Amino acid sequence: MTPHRFALTVYYEDTDMAGIVYYANYLRYIERARSEIVEEVGVDQNAMRANGIVFAVTRVEADYIGSARLGDRLEVVTTHRAASPVRWTFDQEVQRDGVVIFRAHVVAVAMTTAGKPTRLPAEIRAMGIK
């Protein structure tokens, strides 16, 4: 599968007093990229929620490799796959000029609003479970 690419710019609100991106904001950046992927594969999260199904992140492994600064142009590069009937996994990198400065492995699951695991939407399962 071709990696998904999501471009962003570091704004003042993303940084600490030294002008360096605050560590938690990298998680926000990769969340935005995953939200774009959900939309691009044709999943309507509002319709899902109306039917009592939501996505929940159950695991994040993160490596902070470098630092982004105010004004940097970044790109979140993501590969993803349906890892089981209920799990969707993402390998994500935040890059600056092609150099990885943050890397994460994220596991999300489909679940009912009552908290019970349920099958991923058909659009995601159609990508193939490996």
Side-chain angles (χ1 to χ4, degrees):
M1 172 177 285
T2 303
H4 178 270
R5 297 182 176 279
F6 175 74
L8 62 104
T9 301
V10 175
Y11 296 111
Y12 184 78
E13 68 185 12
D14 298 324
T15 65
D16 59 18
M17 291 181 65
I20 297 170
V21 170
Y22 181 67
Y23 80 96
N25 286 331
Y26 291 97
L27 300 176
R28 293 177 59 205
Y29 298 160
I30 64 175
E31 174 71 26
R32 290 176 194 166
R34 288 193 312 276
S35 294
E36 293 287 325
I37 291 168
V38 171
E39 185 176 324
E40 284 182 17
V41 300
V43 174
D44 181 341
Q45 290 189 80
N46 287 319
M48 275 180 56
R49 188 175 56 245
N51 289 320
I53 299 171
V54 295
F55 290 119
V57 170
T58 60
R59 182 176 182 84
V60 176
E61 297 175 36
D63 295 310
Y64 296 85
I65 300 161
S67 298
R69 297 181 174 275
L70 178 63
D72 281 352
R73 304 248 185 234
L74 306 176
E75 185 172 51
V76 180
V77 180
T78 305
T79 57
H80 57 97
R81 68 184 179 92
S84 79
V86 300
R87 282 185 305 131
W88 195 4
T89 62
F90 302 83
D91 289 304
Q92 298 185 273
E93 295 178 345
V94 176
Q95 300 178 1
R96 181 185 50 235
D97 298 324
V99 176
V100 177
I101 61 173
F102 175 85
R103 182 177 292 125
H105 176 74
V106 179
V107 178
V109 298
M111 61 189 315
T112 67
T113 51
K116 302 288 184 188
T118 191
R119 291 175 64 82
L120 291 166
E123 298 90 340
I124 298 166
R125 290 194 321 270
M127 293 185 299
I129 297 170
K130 299 190 173 58

